[in-house]
């Protein structure tokens, strides 16, 4: 599998999706299953970072498949920050947010993982 989902912090408040090279939708679905189990294992809000810096290409049908995470995410899921990636990937994430209005405030774009972490920390402060 070329998508790895790991905890970013020991407090288990952020997960990172590491997209390495090429992958297929079955890899994405397996990563979703992993993320759901991880988020359900805690009782607080968990945000996520999709690290697409090493992503090479998207499989076909990205708009329909890409939204799946936001449909099946557990109730204690917060936001997803898309870090890095091509203009195409950023465009698809923005389109998902625009077309599926209920996801609009849950998809945010960042250039780097560091910027993504800062966005999440700011969001956590707003929740307090």
């Amino acid at each position: 599998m070329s998508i790895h989902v790991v905890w970013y912090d020991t407090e288990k408040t952020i997960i990172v999706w590491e997209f390495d090279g090429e992958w297929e939708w079955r890899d994405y679905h397996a990563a979703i299953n992993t993320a759901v189990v991880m988020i359900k294992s805690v009782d607080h809000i968990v945000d996520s970072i999709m690290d697409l810096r090493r992503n090479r290409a998207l499989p076909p049908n990205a708009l329909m498949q890409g939204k799946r995470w936001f449909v099946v995410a557990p109730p204690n899921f917060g936001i997803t920050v898309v870090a890095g990636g091509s203009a195409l990937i950023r465009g698809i994430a923005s389109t998902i947010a625009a077309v599926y209005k209920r996801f609009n405030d849950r998809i945010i774009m960042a250039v780097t993982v560091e910027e993504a972490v800062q966005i999440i920390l700011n969001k956590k402060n707003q929740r307090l």
Side-chain angles (χ1 to χ4, degrees):
M1 178 167 70
S2 296
I3 305 172
H4 307 281
V5 183
V6 297
W7 289 111
Y8 175 81
D9 55 349
T10 56
E11 295 82 15
K12 298 183 177 181
T13 63
I14 302 172
I15 57 173
V16 178
W17 304 57
E18 299 169 339
F19 290 75
D20 291 322
E22 294 186 24
W23 49 274
E24 298 180 13
W25 290 119
R26 65 180 147 80
D27 301 322
Y28 180 66
H29 295 181
I32 287 173
N33 292 339
T34 299
V36 166
V37 168
M38 291 169 71
I39 293 171
K40 284 183 172 181
S41 75
V42 297
D43 61 358
H44 53 264
I45 294 176
V46 177
D47 299 299
S48 68
I49 298 170
M50 290 194 173
D51 180 359
L52 294 159
R53 295 173 299 165
R54 292 180 301 276
N55 185 71
R56 289 197 192 137
L58 286 176
N61 203 13
L63 188 57
M64 291 304 295
Q65 293 289 334
K67 73 172 183 165
R68 185 167 188 272
W69 163 238
F70 300 95
V71 173
V72 302
N76 60 323
F77 155 67
I79 62 171
T80 292
V81 182
V82 178
S86 67
L88 174 64
I89 290 170
R90 290 190 305 275
I92 289 170
S94 295
T95 301
I96 290 170
V99 171
Y100 304 101
K101 299 291 186 197
R102 63 187 169 159
F103 308 139
N104 190 37
D105 61 342
R106 300 184 102 177
I107 304 172
I108 301 170
M109 309 309 252
V111 176
T112 65
V113 170
E114 293 77 18
E115 180 186 359
V117 170
Q118 190 58 53
I119 289 168
I120 289 172
L121 293 176
N122 291 342
K123 188 67 166 177
K124 285 181 186 188
N125 286 335
Q126 291 174 4
R127 289 183 196 133
L128 299 176

